[in-house]
Amino acid sequence: MIIEYIQGIYCCDVKTSYDKSIYQKYSIDLIIHCTKDYQFIDIKDIKKLRIPLSEELNYHTDIPLLKLNLDKILSYIHNNFIDYNILLVCYDGNKISPLIVGLFINKYGDIHINLIKDIIKSKNKNFMIDFNLNIFNR
């Protein structure tokens, strides 16, 4: 299933990301793959970026990596979302990619971090982050 969280910013699971019809239907121009080892779909003329996070979103390895690179990731999305429709892909579509969209909303929408889970859950009732997002406060 593909979910649009912000106009032009979508998230989905790996399996859905291999459906070539969604790229035309949603005019996807850029893929951000939040997996370690799944392949990108083979479509030319689509920009691609990998954020190598594990399926578990491990608190001791993945979270520090995400925190370390968060400003770069969010800036990349910010610098591209006006000109490109972006698809963030993660293992199940319910954890990593919506989390990154939520952190984007927090930073660029100036929405308090404590509201992010509710905002994401309003679009995706299966959102599965069970830790406090304040760990990402800068």
Side-chain angles (χ1 to χ4, degrees):
M1 183 164 96
I2 189 166
I3 297 174
E4 183 176 31
Y5 288 93
I6 302 171
Q7 185 174 350
I9 299 181
Y10 304 87
C11 294
C12 74
D13 61 281
V14 172
K15 182 178 177 186
T16 302
S17 77
Y18 294 130
D19 178 354
K20 287 188 177 189
S21 70
I22 67 170
Y23 295 88
Q24 184 171 358
K25 180 177 180 179
Y26 297 101
S27 301
I28 302 298
D29 305 297
L30 183 134
I31 303 168
I32 300 175
H33 222 293
C34 305
T35 66
K36 284 189 172 191
D37 51 7
Y38 282 92
Q39 298 296 316
F40 285 92
I41 190 165
D42 186 26
I43 298 177
K44 295 186 186 330
D45 301 324
I46 292 183
K47 293 174 72 170
K48 298 171 179 135
L49 173 73
R50 180 171 306 274
I51 303 170
L53 299 169
S54 70
E55 187 169 3
E56 302 83 31
L57 193 59
N58 184 286
Y59 196 81
H60 300 290
T61 56
D62 295 316
I63 296 299
L65 177 68
L66 186 55
K67 285 174 67 173
L68 179 67
N69 293 291
L70 190 59
D71 283 333
K72 287 187 249 181
I73 294 165
L74 298 181
S75 291
Y76 184 79
I77 294 169
H78 185 258
N79 292 336
N80 285 285
F81 90 104
I82 297 297
D83 297 324
Y84 300 101
N85 283 353
I86 300 171
L87 178 63
L88 286 97
V89 177
C90 67
Y91 299 91
D92 60 8
N94 295 319
K95 190 184 298 181
I96 300 168
S97 52
L99 170 64
I100 292 172
V101 172
L103 295 171
F104 177 81
I105 292 168
N106 168 245
K107 181 174 182 174
Y108 292 101
D110 199 27
I111 304 295
H112 195 278
I113 195 78
N114 293 334
L115 300 174
I116 296 303
K117 282 185 183 180
D118 290 334
I119 291 168
I120 296 300
K121 282 187 177 189
S122 75
K123 298 278 189 171
N124 179 357
K125 64 180 168 68
N126 297 318
F127 180 58
M128 298 187 305
I129 295 297
D130 59 357
F131 53 82
N132 189 328
L133 297 183
N134 281 311
I135 62 172
F136 294 103
N137 275 339
R138 293 169 277 289

